[in-house]
């Protein structure tokens, strides 16, 4: 496996280098860097031209210029990047530091979300092939495939951001809207749940009623401005997560695993009261430390109570502990929503990648950061969600026709075990190969999306460079996105190798 | 393609007497069981071979595909929409020197009537003076949109055809000969992992300089790799099939094997991905025009229209909606068309449905 | 308490069937209308009994068996009753059915290569059904998995449970599948062509294993097969199916030795018998050969290697020498991996030789340039194994047959067409298929078209690579008969590659036995097949079953004696830790 991955990294690095040469040549030939000066009527025109030729080394042949860039860039290996200056004289390094963070956050988040949601939707629509849910997902995927990114972004900016900001000023949900939301959820859940008519009616009815009640309750207590979960909901949600984990692993058969999970939740409840005060304004360090403690608790409980199925118990307990911690975190985050809205007024940002001069506590910073990110992330996620869900669906359908699935059925395994344990793992193998390509197209999509939302991110840097025939910003853009793509590709390869034992060895 | 007739699979055959109209075997002999003649007679009565019904119409693979395609309603509707848009955009404002039935030009401005609002009304159906409204200089937006659709479609189809040609040839060569062609192809596809297609296309399109044909050519030399990869994969597996080996053993030249035996069998993959390439090209062109590297004014394209009028969203939303809806409609119908073609060429996944 | 040992059920009564079909009828709804796959079949399987269901393609034998598992696709409509261990499969709930599967009724599938999940360990796949059915959990289950592997004769079971399927050979995988089937101690096992994908020696071992399994565990076995030899070797009772109908049923002796129904008679008459030599099925190959004729193939110390990335090359053929004379049929036999097909491909100039000499029709093909090679290829015909893949699906049949003439620029349009008509007649197909496409005809007919194509240019040498292995026996008989007639008429030399010794016995003049790329034994047919000198040939011959239960029992015992004499084990179920009879 190591050999496989090393080989792939070698190839990736070679391609990364070849790409840099190609992009450099293309960029410096994409126009005349002196065009604006040539047309200028300034008196010192010749002097300006000369100084720009001097600054950009335009009198040198392309390979010399490339080499100058390359030696500077290769210093990145020892963390002393020198990416040169832009045509206007700005230092690329400092420009990059500002731009890279927000862009990479956006692309990474969108990739993760698209994979998780896309694969889930794909699996569900494959399991419920030819159901209403399947048709809906398929149709939605086709729409998303065919949606111009910039157009969708503008639409979302208009309706998602401006609409939401208007609404949050006086947040109430009308009965009709509540009913509509409840019906949509009810239909979705019943379509996913499947089964015979009776089962579908029950799941539809139950979901609709519960959702209607919840939304009405939230509306009446003004939850939208002062949201929170509270311990009861945290417990309920943690139990639900625990149940899901059980379904995915051992089922309800093994008492020891169940005990381990319940004990984990109990310990979590105790800790909730202990660490509660610390969560008022924590730091990232504290949050990660608490997450680590959750893992330790999970491992400990699972190990102590797991018995003969120790491994499963440990997995389930750790998962439950992390879910509990996550809900506590989320609860605290929600509690700070109100003050954040008060501070900003119009929470969802439509212009720029950060509110200048914003200050607030830990949670408000997260909100600030999240509300900038949310719309571009939605746009990018939706677009690449489509390909993941289609691809997963067909891969899953292909897998469920394999002989070993028939073997699994003949053992008497239930559909749940067959789908999760036998089919999904095999179906995921080909998905890993499209992650790398999809990541690249997401970066492309980010260039467009950032422009719509007016971010001064990597996309803006690339465009500025290209417009002024200035290779340095373009190459800096390439260095960051290309490296990120190579890293992503490597992750995909590792996932591939860990899913498929035939590659390992 | 069709492997119904392997034994041990027990795929149900249609019941029938199983007789074959074949000339009798020339064995003499008595009629005791086990004698050749008797065996031959029994063989006929109890043959598991398919009955050759020569009165039935013969269907080639292509005809079967066509039949399946015409049963796919979604694809047919999409085809209708696509042809509709094509005919509308070409006939309305004409093509080149040929004038269209819509009198207004997309280049000349006029006085802005009623704030440039669209005059199209569905009931009673009427187009009015400016069905899609007018832009801020009074240009007729219907004519502009039609011109944009023309340009976008031209680029998309040119890119589709050109890149399919390149991709098919390179993919076939890479799959059949392997060696350096394959290595180069694989590294080129890897390239698009590190340089996003849109980014490379932006640079190349800027070099191309904004003309429609130059842009189409520039995009074609970039987007063929995906198709080439698919064709290569298909060729790699076909090359192991026995009919290809048989052709090699007969002494057929490589060219004959590729063009007569292998490529006709990849036609499904090629056509399907050509359609998907067309859809991708529409979106790519519009994104480039939006960013300012595609079609340049005074010419126009659907992406450019959106780019020019995105700030007018709140005041004159139609300037934003019409070109967007056209892009969406074209891309969606091409994608559905591709899906229908895929089902027609490869009915495997659908068979268990009914 | 679940100690991990299969229970030996006490036989309640002799009449209590563990699996019975009562008037089972299955229809499939397809896009071309309804297909009546099984038409009222009634059949019983008792504990400790092997009932074989035989039939060719489309007989409905597998469909019948699958009704017992209730695993048919959704478009199937099933009538009648299937009772497994006293429970009516048609009327119980899905949950009860899942409890039944694996626990009361288990299955062994045809393809060991695809029947196991490639991403899960052997141990995982073995333990999951035990855990599901509550026989053993956690480490107990793992222990039991190791025992099961030991029982079915897999060496180093502790290591194997941690391995993945791709690390095991085909025969071992089939043993794992069997171990999985017996893991929950089912009352009846459905074995659907359990040995079809295996080599003949491995097949004999697996059959031994299955036989000892039903003896020791008193499990009933429903054996689905098309192989009459396997039927004779294994079954107590036989049911013959044809196009969905059960045409004959009885004990193995009754059905195989004294068939009543015409179909059974025809089927048995179509099976070539090892040792019966010439003259079966109306096939008469002339044995008077010109021993001084020219050599069509002259191999001297041929070596063929496959290059592998990052590893030393794999030597597929190692130091092989033999000759084929004009007009002579030489049978090349061996199991998978013996290199027989590789030699065939080398003879066609498709694979280069790494060493040695390959004289083809008087020329050394390792030295030829492209145009010389083409000239030699004109004089060679070829037939491949897979009828589904051997004809270009996008070419009309007439064009397929005419292709060699087009490639070598022989004749004009009219003369080519005439030649194709002549060839179609020779392979007993009507002229009208000229404009049809390969998917419109069935397997045997396609294989006859392949024969016609091979003979288009009146070749001096024909390379036939397993030409009938993928065909039903009755179809095979017809293709072989046409083949032998044509050989007599055209007098071409033939390299006949096959794994089926009885077909070789029927056709070949000389036999070359290969193992792992080396020649084990070579010589005239009578010597090699009737009086083999080498151990491997003896094993190979002993493992091939014949369709006569009495004779086969004797052959089986002889094979066991041979194996013991050679110091090998006989495959059987080893009941680990069960000597004290404690059970679970």
């Amino acid at each position: 496996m190591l050999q496989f991955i090393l080989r792939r990294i070698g190839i990736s690095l070679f391609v990364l280098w070849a790409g840099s040469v190609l992009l450099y040549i293309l960029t410096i030939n994409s126009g005349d860097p002196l065009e604006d000066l040539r047309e200028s009527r300034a008196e010192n025109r010749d002097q300006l031209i000369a100084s720009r030729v001097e600054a950009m080394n335009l009198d040198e042949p392309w390979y010399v210029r490339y080499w100058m860039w390359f030696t500077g860039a290769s210093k990145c290996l020892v963390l002393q990047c020198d990416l040169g200056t832009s045509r206007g004289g700005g230092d690329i390094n400092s420009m990059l530091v500002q731009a890279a963070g927000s862009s990479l956050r956006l692309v990474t988040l969108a990739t993760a979300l698209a994979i998780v949601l896309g694969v889930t939707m794909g699996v569900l629509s494959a399991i419920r092939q030819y159901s209403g849910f399947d048709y809906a997902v398929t149709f939605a995927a086709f729409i998303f495939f065919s949606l111009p990114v910039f157009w969708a972004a503008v639409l979302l900016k208009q309706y998602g951001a401006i609409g939401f900001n208007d609404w949050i000023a006086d947040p109430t949900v009308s009965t009709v809207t509540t009913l509509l939301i409840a019906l949509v959820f009810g239909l979705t859940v019943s379509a996913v749940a499947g089964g015979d008519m009776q089962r579908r009616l029950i799941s539809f009815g139950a979901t609709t009623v519960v959702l209607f009640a919840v939304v009405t309750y939230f509306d009446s207590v003004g939850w939208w401005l002062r949201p929170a979960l509270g311990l009861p909901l945290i417990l309920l949600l943690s139990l639900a997560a625990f149940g899901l984990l059980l379904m995915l692993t051992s089922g309800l058969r093994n008492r020891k695993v169940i005990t381990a999970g319940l004990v984990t939740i109990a310990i979590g409840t105790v800790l909730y009261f202990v660490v509660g005060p610390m969560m008022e304004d924590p730091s990232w360090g504290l949050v990660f430390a608490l997450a680590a403690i959750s893992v330790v608790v999970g491992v400990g409980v699972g190990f102590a109570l797991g018995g003969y199925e120790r491994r499963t118990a440990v997995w389930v307990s750790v998962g439950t502990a992390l879910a509990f911690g996550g809900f506590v975190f989320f609860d605290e985050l929600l509690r700070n929503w109100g003050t954040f809205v008060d501070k900003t007024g119009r929470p969802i940002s439509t212009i720029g990648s950060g509110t200048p001069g914003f200050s607030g506590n830990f949670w408000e910073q997260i909100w600030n950061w999240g509300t900038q990110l949310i719309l571009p992330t939605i746009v990018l996620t939706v677009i690449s969600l489509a390909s993941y869900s289609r691809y997963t669906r067909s891969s899953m359908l292909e897998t469920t026709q394999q002989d070993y699935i028939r073997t699994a059925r003949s053992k008497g395994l239930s559909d749940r075990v067959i789908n999760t344990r036998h089919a999904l793992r095999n179906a995921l193998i080909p998905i890993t190969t499209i992650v790398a390509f999809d990541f690249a197209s997401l970066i492309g999509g980010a260039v467009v999306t950032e422009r719509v939302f007016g971010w001064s991110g990597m996309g803006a840097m690339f465009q500025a460079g290209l417009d002024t025939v200035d290779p340095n910003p373009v190459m800096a853009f390439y260095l960051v996105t290309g490296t990120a793509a190579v890293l992503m590709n490597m992750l995909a390869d590792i996932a591939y190798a860990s899913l498929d034992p035939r590659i390992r060895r | 393609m069709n492997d119904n007739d392997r034994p041990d699979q027990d795929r149900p055959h249609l019941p029938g007497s199983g007789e074959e109209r074949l000339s009798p075997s020339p064995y003499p002999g008595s009629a005791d069981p086990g004698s050749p003649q008797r065996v031959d007679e029994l063989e006929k009565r109890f043959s598991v071979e398919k009955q050759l019904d020569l009165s039935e119409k013969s269907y080639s693979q292509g005809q079967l595909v066509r039949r399946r395609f015409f049963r796919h309603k979604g694809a047919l509707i999409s085809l209708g929409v696509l042809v509709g848009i094509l005919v509308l955009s070409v006939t309305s404002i004409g093509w080149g020197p040929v004038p269209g039935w819509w009198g207004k030009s997309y280049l000349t401005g006029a006085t802005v009537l009623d704030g440039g609002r669209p005059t199209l009304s569905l009931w009673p159906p009427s187009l009015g003076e400016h069905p899609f409204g007018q832009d801020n200089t009074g240009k007729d937006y219907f004519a502009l949109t039609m011109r944009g659709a023309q340009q976008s479609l031209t680029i998309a189809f040119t890119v589709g055809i050109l890149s399919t040609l390149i991709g098919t040839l390179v993919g076939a060569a890479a799959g059949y000969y392997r060696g350096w062609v394959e290595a180069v192809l694989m590294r080129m596809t890897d390239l698009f992992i590190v340089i996003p297609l849109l980014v490379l296309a932006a640079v190349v399109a800027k070099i191309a300089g904004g003309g429609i044909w130059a842009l189409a050519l520039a995009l074609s030399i970039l987007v063929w790799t995906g198709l080439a990869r698919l064709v290569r994969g298909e060729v790699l597996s076909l090359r192991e099939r026995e009919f290809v080996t048989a052709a090699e053993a007969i002494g057929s030249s490589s060219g004959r094997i590729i063009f007569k035996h292998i490529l006709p069998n990849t036609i499904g993959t090629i056509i399907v991905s050509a359609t998907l390439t067309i859809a991708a090209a529409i979106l790519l062109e519009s994104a480039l025009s939006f960013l300012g590297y595609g079609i340049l004014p005074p010419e126009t394209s659907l992406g450019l229209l959106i780019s020019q009028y995105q700030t007018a969203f709140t005041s004159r939303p139609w300037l934003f909606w019409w070109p967007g809806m056209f892009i969406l409609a074209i891309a969606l119908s091409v994608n559905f068309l591709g899906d229908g073609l895929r089902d027609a060429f490869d009915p495997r996944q659908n068979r268990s449905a009914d | 308490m679940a100690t991990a040992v299969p229970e030996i059920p006490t036989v309640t009564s002799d009449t209590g069937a563990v699996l019975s079909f009562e008037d089972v009828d299955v229809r499939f709804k397809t896009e071309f209308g309804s297909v009546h796959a099984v038409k009222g079949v009634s059949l019983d399987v008792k504990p400790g009994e092997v009932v074989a269901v035989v039939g060719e393609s489309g007989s409905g034998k597998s469909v019948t068996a699958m009704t017992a598992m209730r695993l048919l696709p959704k478009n199937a409509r099933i009538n009648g009753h299937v009772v497994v261990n006293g429970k009516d499969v048609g009327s119980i709930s899905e949950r009860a059915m899942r409890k039944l599967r694996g626990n009361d009724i288990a299955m062994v599938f045809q393809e060991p290569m695809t029947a196991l999940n490639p991403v899960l360990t052997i141990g995982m796949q073995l333990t999951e059904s035990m855990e599901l059915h509550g026989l053993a959990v956690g480490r107990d289950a793992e222990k039991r998995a190791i025992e099961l592997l030991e029982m079915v004769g897999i060496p180093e079971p502790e290591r194997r449970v941690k391995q993945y399927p791709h690390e095991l050979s085909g025969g071992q995988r089939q043993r794992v599948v069997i171990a999985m089937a017996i893991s929950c101690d089912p009352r009846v096992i459905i074995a659907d062509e359990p040995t079809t994908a295996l080599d003949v020696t491995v097949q004999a071992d697996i059959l031994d294993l299955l036989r000892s399994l039903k003896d020791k565990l008193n499990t009933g076995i429903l054996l689905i097969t098309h192989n009459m030899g396997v039927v004779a070797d294994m079954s107590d009772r036989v049911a013959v199916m044809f196009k969905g109908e059960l045409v004959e049923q009885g004990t193995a002796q009754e059905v195989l030795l004294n068939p009543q129904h015409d179909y059974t008679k025809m089927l048995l008459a179509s099976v070539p018998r090892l040792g019966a030599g010439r003259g079966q099925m109306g096939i008469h190959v002339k044995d008077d050969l010109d021993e001084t004729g020219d050599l069509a193939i002259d191999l001297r110390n041929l070596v063929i290697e496959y290059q592998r990335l990052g590893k030393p090359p794999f030597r597929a053929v190692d130091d092989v020498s033999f000759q084929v004379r004009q007009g002579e049929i030489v049978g090349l036999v061996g199991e998978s991996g013996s290199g027989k097909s590789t030699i065939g491909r080398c003879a066609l100039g498709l694979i280069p030789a790494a060493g040695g000499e390959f004289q083809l029709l008087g020329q050394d093909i390792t030295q030829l340039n492209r145009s010389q090679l083409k000239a030699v290829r004109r004089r060679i015909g070829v037939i491949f194994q897979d009828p589904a893949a051997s004809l270009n699906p996008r070419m009309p049949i007439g064009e397929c047959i005419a292709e060699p003439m087009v490639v070598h620029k022989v004749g004009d349009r009219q003369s080519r067409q005439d030649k194709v008509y002549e060839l179609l007649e020779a392979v007993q197909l009507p002229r009208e298929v000229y404009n049809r496409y390969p998917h419109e005809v069935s397997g045997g007919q396609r294989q006859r078209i392949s024969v016609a194509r091979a003979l288009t240019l009146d070749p001096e040498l024909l390379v036939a690579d397993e030409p009938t292995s993928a065909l039903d026996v009755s179809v095979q008989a017809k293709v072989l008969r046409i083949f032998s007639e044509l050989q007599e008429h055209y007098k071409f030399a033939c390299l006949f590659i096959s794994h089926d010794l009885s077909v070789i016995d029927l056709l070949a003049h000389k036999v070359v036995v290969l193992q792992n790329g080396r020649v084990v034994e070579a010589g005239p047919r009578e010597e090699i097949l009737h009086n083999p000198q080498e151990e491997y040939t003896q094993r190979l011959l002993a493992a091939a079953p014949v369709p006569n239960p009495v004779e086969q029992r004797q052959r089986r015992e002889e094979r066991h004696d041979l194996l013991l004499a050679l110091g090998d084990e006989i495959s059987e179920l080893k009941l680990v830790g069960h000597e004290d009879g404690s059970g679970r």
Side-chain angles (χ1 to χ4, degrees), chain C residues 397-411:
Chain C
I397 287 163
E399 266 187 53
C400 286
I401 298 176
E403 200 184 4
M405 295 188 278
V406 178
V407 169
H408 293 285
K409 302 191 174 61
V410 176

Side-chain angles (χ1 to χ4, degrees), chain A residues 14-20 22 437 440 478, chain B residues 185-197 200 222:
Chain A
F14 168 74
V15 172
L16 194 62
W17 169 77
S20 77
L22 179 73
F437 287 98
Y478 171 72
Chain B
L185 171 65
M186 295 322 278
R187 293 298 83 80
M188 283 205 60
T189 40
D190 281 348
L191 194 67
F192 287 107
I193 293 178
V194 292
I195 313 181
L197 177 62
L200 202 53
L222 294 179

Side-chain angles (χ1 to χ4, degrees), chain B residues 1-27 33-36 38-65 67-68 71 177 238-254 256-257 260-268 345 347 350-354, chain C residues 28-32 34-37 39 55-63 74-75 110 192-193 196 224 226 242-243 261-263 265-266 269-270 281-284 345 348 350 370 374 377-378 380 382 384-395 399-400 403-404 406-408 425 428-430 432-433 435-437 439-446 448 453 469-472 474-475 477-478 481 484-485:
Chain B
M1 286 257 160
N2 187 339
D3 53 1
N4 302 342
D5 297 296
R6 265 175 224 247
D8 323 321
Q9 286 197 332
D10 261 16
R11 183 184 175 278
H13 281 229
L14 287 166
S17 73
E19 268 179 307
E20 283 185 323
R21 290 179 215 165
L22 301 170
S23 55
S25 191
Y27 294 110
S35 83
R38 173 98 168 106
V39 165
D40 200 58
E41 183 201 311
L42 287 175
E43 253 173 38
K44 274 204 220 162
R45 250 179 75 198
F46 295 114
S47 173
V48 292
E49 295 263 77
K50 203 186 277 180
Q51 192 183 353
L52 279 179
D53 186 354
L54 298 169
S55 61
E56 220 175 67
K57 197 181 167 323
S58 165
Y59 286 105
S60 70
Q61 294 276 326
Q63 285 163 321
L64 288 173
V65 167
R67 247 171 41 153
R68 281 197 291 262
R71 267 190 241 155
Y177 296 108
L238 278 169
R239 176 170 191 268
E240 304 302 318
R241 293 277 289 274
E242 285 177 351
F243 69 85
V244 175
T245 320
E248 278 176 51
I250 284 168
S252 310
S253 62
S254 308
R256 184 180 167 86
I257 291 175
K260 192 91 187 168
H261 292 284
I262 293 182
L263 284 183
N265 284 291
T266 60
I267 196 82
F345 279 110
N350 273 7
R351 198 175 290 160
S352 54
D354 32 24
Chain C
F28 289 99
K29 246 176 73 191
T30 72
E31 57 180 316
F32 306 107
S34 174
V35 175
H36 203 171
K39 304 165 186 164
E56 298 178 289
S57 311
S59 64
K61 56 189 192 300
S62 283
V63 175
K74 286 197 186 87
N75 59 340
Q110 173 182 351
D192 189 355
E193 305 270 8
T196 305
I224 318 292
H226 69 284
F242 173 69
K243 293 207 165 151
H261 195 274
D262 280 348
Y263 176 67
K265 288 179 193 168
M266 188 277 294
S270 317
M281 296 146 49
I283 296 174
H284 303 273
R345 275 163 197 251
L348 298 166
L350 299 172
R370 194 179 294 178
K374 189 171 171 181
R377 277 172 166 167
R378 201 195 136 153
I380 308 174
V382 57
F384 285 116
Q385 171 178 358
D386 187 354
S390 54
L391 300 173
N392 185 344
R394 300 217 167 245
M395 261 195 186
E399 266 187 53
C400 286
E403 200 184 4
V406 178
V407 169
H408 293 285
E425 201 167 311
Q428 302 176 16
L429 283 171
E432 286 83 350
V433 301
N435 286 317
R436 301 265 150 168
Y437 285 87
H439 66 92
E440 296 178 86
V441 300
S442 50
Q445 291 157 345
R446 275 186 229 167
R448 271 140 67 187
R453 180 179 56 184
S469 329
L471 303 178
D472 280 314
S474 62
V475 179
K478 186 169 191 103
R481 193 152 60 235
S484 64
E485 282 166 26

